[in-house]
Amino acid sequence: MLIFSSCSDREAATLGTLEWDRIAVPAPVAEKIVDIRVREGQRVAEGQVLLQLDPQTTRAELQAAEAAVARQVAVLEELNDGPRVEEIARARAALEAAQAEARDREADYRRLQALGKKNYASQSDIDAAQAAAEGAEAQVRGAREQLLELERGTRIEEIEQGQAALAEARAQAQARRALLQKLTVTAPQPGIVDSIPFKLGDQAPLGGSLVVMLTGETPYARVYVPQPLRLDVEVGGRAQVYLEGMGKGEDGIHKLGPFSGTVRMVRNEPSFTPYYALTGDDATRLSYIAEIQLQADAARLPAGLPLRAEFSASLKQGAAGRVLSAPDIGKSRHKDSIPAAGTTDAGEEPYDGGK
């Protein structure tokens, strides 16, 4: 019997609670709640409206952003069309006026220059006339360049700047439009409304949880695995879950189950065991949080129920020999605990030296 018991699976029990995956729907803006369309405990579908935030401020900001888009569209059209015909004609007329002024100034300078040779004009008057003639010629060159600029049209860099400004305005309008849609808070996925922290008329802070939902097809068991049983629990392993206080078992303890499940997560970092999971010597040991995903028969169970999980731990055979279980590892720390090849201890298999 001892030999058979050493080869059979060892049941390891841990304590924990029944949980559902929780998601919190955050507040996109700090606005007042004007309508609540669900109640706590109600099952909702994906996309169903949960509540409504005040949209007045965001709608006004959207209208301002759309007006900025319209203005940038007009500016870009103006850049693409280039200067008007009337502007080119005005620039051409300004050039002709500058040329006429330059001819007049040049004539005055030549007359004074001729009079100066006969000592009929002072040198200062001649210099002033020369400066005026040169200034008028500069005005001609400026008017000519301005006319040439208008005739060549808008630069490609200015058009690209206008396109970038229009894209920025459209992006801001789209952001406001998306924000306005988010003010109608909807369920991101199907589930059950667990809690609504704020009431009608409250103003939730930015990022505050407006609705907390329980999601997923089935619940999961969050258990605290004692340190000596850590080797028996691995991701993908099977487990049986019993709910405490929900029925009466053969041993007189009130429980309901078993519910089959699969270990979906085991944390590698230990934590202190919570008060409700303390049993005997486990009170002085660390524990490892594990999650067991239950099957469809547990789909209607509520969250928060206390439970007990049992893991089936079996001896694992490796390429190099037998893998020691948790008690065996404790024994292997003493060199005298490993028997010589061909010998056996009571209740153990023959040791073949690791072959």
Side-chain angles (χ1 to χ4, degrees), residues 186-250:
T186 59
Q189 53 183 288
I192 300 174
V193 178
D194 183 54
S195 65
I196 304 176
F198 298 95
K199 294 180 173 56
L200 187 66
D202 290 346
Q203 181 173 333
L206 177 63
S209 298
L210 295 175
V211 179
V212 179
M213 295 180 56
L214 305 180
T215 61
E217 297 292 335
T218 58
Y220 67 92
R222 176 182 292 161
V223 297
Y224 295 84
V225 181
Q227 182 178 355
L229 304 180
R230 175 62 181 85
L231 292 179
D232 298 338
V233 182
E234 60 182 4
V235 176
R238 306 295 297 175
Q240 300 290 331
V241 174
Y242 298 86
L243 299 182
E244 303 291 346
M246 300 298 295
K248 190 169 185 179
E250 297 178 356

Side-chain angles (χ1 to χ4, degrees), residues 324 331-341 343 345 348 351:
L324 299 178
K331 295 178 180 179
S332 65
R333 294 176 181 174
H334 304 282
K335 61 180 181 180
D336 296 337
S337 64
I338 301 179
T343 64
D345 288 341
E348 292 187 353
Y351 181 72

